[in-house]
Amino acid sequence: MNFFTSTMRNVSQSTVRRLSLYLRCLEDFRARGIPTVSSRELAESVGLTPAQVRKDLSYFGSFGKRGLGYSVQDLESRLRGILGVDRGWGIAVVGAGRIGLALARYPSFRTRGFELRAIFDNDPAKIGRRWGALTVQDIDKFPKVARARGIEIAILTVPESAAQEVADRVVAAGVRAILNFAPAGLQVPDGVAVNNVDMALELEGLAFALANGEGSGD
Amino acid sequence: MNFFTSTMRNVSQSTVRRLSLYLRCLEDFRARGIPTVSSRELAESVGLTPAQVRKDLSYFGSFGKRGLGYSVQDLESRLRGILGVDRGWGIAVVGAGRIGLALARYPSFRTRGFELRAIFDNDPAKIGRRWGALTVQDIDKFPKVARARGIEIAILTVPESAAQEVADRVVAAGVRAILNFAPAGLQVPDGVAVNNVDMALELEGLAFALANGEGSGD
DNA sequence: ATATGTGAACATTTTCACAGCT
DNA sequence: AGCTGTGAAAATGTTCACATAT
């Protein structure tokens, strides 16, 4: 039992990542009309152990029925609540290069609890261009636009050399979560969350695995 | 001391990821003409503890000089060797959509030990298009082309619905490392390494952090 | 009968602290 | 004096096993 102990400090990064996997899986089960799922089935679908699944969930409450399992619909909406994707977070892409624009086309922002609300760049040649429903805006207008549109998460797809400066600016504008695609270790104040996506790092992990004759990554 | 114990089983995933961080950092130090670095300096640059740095390195050997620190050049080339990026791994991008093409333009494949040697798709409208020095090829020719060009790592940027099938095909063609951008848990035989890059998962991690008022991701 | 939720055992990873080299 | 390399301690994460509920 767990009465929403307001501050949830003691849940590991890996647990949160696994919750995302469970959520994706549950969406799939629901789409296939399956009403109920056991920790074993869930575990098999994502390649983990039943105990791991139950332990992960137990950090947040008791969502199952003993002898029966979990209601797919119910657990799905619980996980949405826990992960905080039961509301639409305002997102901006900063850096209207190839990668930024490709990500901006990511189809399922909306269905996953996120809303792309702005795209920024500092290149006059790019500013003003339309991209889907949005127009590329001048990065100098970030603070104003961010406030107006409720930008809460910034996706940084700028060159490495600009990454820290851009990060400083979006943080100064009140953004407290950054998804960073530049191969850089961003320096941010406490209270700002950063997740890095780094292709070079992933490739090097694979090179290591190949060079050492080992299978499996994550 | 460590006489290249042929099989290096007992080094964690996270250690390998940190080695990549150290490597990037050392490249930077070298570019700035700094000849020597201590575990403390290295640690500060990547946001870790000195002990962590030393322990990570100690799994592979003793690369420093007591009282002095590490030679930047030397440690850099040691890490290149350990990670296996002191040779050019043959890479193919499978899926010539926006993301695939954007990644194919990733500038520093070569400088980082990787060579993009082919791009594939199954869409007749895309096959035959040129992209930089490469031409988009029919996925049906993957086995032949992979053999001819020495493709060792496949970057999958195909829709979720096609991911598993494509994975099966590249594995059947002898590829033993996959960098998967589809939001999917690929099923692969033992001895095949998979790394997943999943934007939805990263965003959910940030949403969780925001919803729970916590800073820091990785 | 079946499957959860969880304290306790176990395993892994990180940090400490210090001996040993330069 | 300064900094590495590393066993040992501490912390963290995972698995077990079983009491408990349906």
Side-chain angles (χ1 to χ4, degrees):
Chain A
M1 216 132 284
N2 183 323
F3 295 97
F4 272 49
T5 35
S6 57
T7 17
M8 205 93 231
R9 201 73 347 84
N10 61 340
V11 171
S12 76
Q13 203 70 198
S14 351
T15 292
V16 176
R17 297 181 82 84
R18 285 191 299 264
L19 294 183
S20 286
L21 294 179
Y22 305 152
L23 175 54
R24 178 160 308 140
C25 203
L26 288 163
E27 286 165 355
D28 186 50
F29 277 120
R30 187 169 47 81
R32 286 157 52 198
I34 297 164
T36 268
V37 72
S38 70
S39 60
R40 187 177 42 74
E41 293 167 307
L42 212 39
E44 272 166 20
S45 311
V46 300
L48 298 167
T49 67
Q52 179 81 83
V53 172
R54 296 202 300 275
K55 182 60 100 178
D56 284 338
L57 297 176
S58 81
Y59 292 128
F60 300 94
S62 316
F63 309 128
K65 286 204 179 11
R66 301 187 186 214
L68 181 56
Y70 304 87
S71 151
V72 168
Q73 271 208 343
D74 202 61
L75 186 55
E76 182 186 337
S77 75
R78 293 304 200 115
L79 288 184
R80 283 216 144 77
I82 292 164
L83 289 171
V85 292
D86 51 354
R87 56 182 290 260
W89 296 94
I91 296 205
V93 165
V94 184
R98 264 181 244 282
I99 303 151
L101 294 179
L103 295 181
R105 278 288 163 98
Y106 183 63
S108 37
F109 274 122
R110 237 144 312 161
T111 69
R112 291 199 166 281
F114 304 96
E115 277 174 31
L116 180 65
R117 294 182 188 161
I119 307 179
F120 296 91
D121 207 298
N122 70 342
D123 178 353
K126 286 173 186 159
I127 294 166
R129 289 229 185 126
R130 315 217 80 229
W131 193 255
L134 298 171
T135 302
V136 177
Q137 310 217 42
D138 191 327
I139 180 79
D140 288 340
K141 295 193 182 121
F142 189 92
K144 214 165 301 181
V145 176
R147 211 172 318 114
R149 305 207 183 161
I151 301 301
E152 297 160 298
I153 302 177
I155 300 180
L156 264 49
T157 53
V158 300
E160 181 175 3
S161 58
Q164 184 61 58
E165 191 212 315
V166 172
D168 292 343
R169 294 177 72 173
V170 306
V171 168
V175 168
R176 280 174 42 205
I178 294 175
L179 181 50
N180 173 39
F181 282 80
L186 298 180
Q187 215 65 17
V188 295
D190 271 19
V192 177
V194 178
N195 267 189
N196 297 295
V197 174
D198 185 336
M199 185 167 67
L201 202 119
E202 304 296 335
L203 286 174
E204 281 167 6
L206 292 174
F208 178 85
L210 288 177
N212 294 273
E214 181 54 71
S216 134
D218 41 303
Chain B
M1 215 129 288
N2 183 322
F3 295 98
F4 272 48
T5 34
S6 56
T7 17
M8 204 93 229
R9 201 73 347 86
N10 61 341
V11 171
S12 76
Q13 203 71 197
S14 350
T15 292
V16 176
R17 298 181 80 85
R18 285 191 299 265
L19 294 184
S20 287
L21 295 178
Y22 305 152
L23 174 54
R24 178 160 307 139
C25 205
L26 288 164
E27 286 165 357
D28 186 50
F29 277 120
R30 186 169 48 82
R32 285 157 52 197
I34 298 164
T36 270
V37 72
S38 69
S39 59
R40 188 178 41 73
E41 293 167 306
L42 212 38
E44 272 165 20
S45 311
V46 300
L48 297 166
T49 68
Q52 179 82 83
V53 172
R54 295 201 301 276
K55 183 60 99 177
D56 284 339
L57 297 176
S58 80
Y59 292 128
F60 301 94
S62 316
F63 309 127
K65 286 204 179 10
R66 301 185 187 215
L68 180 57
Y70 304 87
S71 151
V72 168
Q73 271 207 345
D74 202 60
L75 186 55
E76 181 186 338
S77 76
R78 292 304 200 115
L79 288 183
R80 282 218 146 78
I82 292 164
L83 289 171
V85 293
D86 50 355
R87 56 181 290 258
W89 295 95
I91 296 205
V93 165
V94 184
R98 264 182 242 283
I99 304 149
L101 294 179
L103 295 181
R105 278 287 163 100
Y106 183 64
S108 38
F109 273 123
R110 234 142 315 160
T111 70
R112 292 198 167 281
F114 303 97
E115 277 175 33
L116 180 65
R117 295 184 187 158
I119 308 179
F120 295 91
D121 207 298
N122 69 343
D123 178 353
K126 286 172 186 158
I127 294 167
R129 289 229 186 126
R130 313 216 83 228
W131 192 254
L134 298 172
T135 303
V136 177
Q137 311 218 39
D138 190 328
I139 179 80
D140 288 340
K141 295 193 183 121
F142 189 92
K144 213 165 303 183
V145 176
R147 211 172 319 115
R149 304 205 184 163
I151 301 301
E152 297 160 299
I153 302 177
I155 300 180
L156 264 49
T157 54
V158 300
E160 182 176 2
S161 57
Q164 184 61 57
E165 191 212 314
V166 172
D168 292 344
R169 294 177 72 174
V170 305
V171 168
V175 168
R176 280 173 43 203
I178 294 175
L179 181 50
N180 173 40
F181 283 80
L186 297 182
Q187 214 67 16
V188 295
D190 272 19
V192 177
V194 179
N195 268 187
N196 297 294
V197 174
D198 186 334
M199 185 167 67
L201 202 118
E202 303 296 336
L203 286 174
E204 282 167 6
L206 291 173
F208 178 85
L210 289 175
N212 294 273
E214 180 55 69
S216 134
D218 39 303

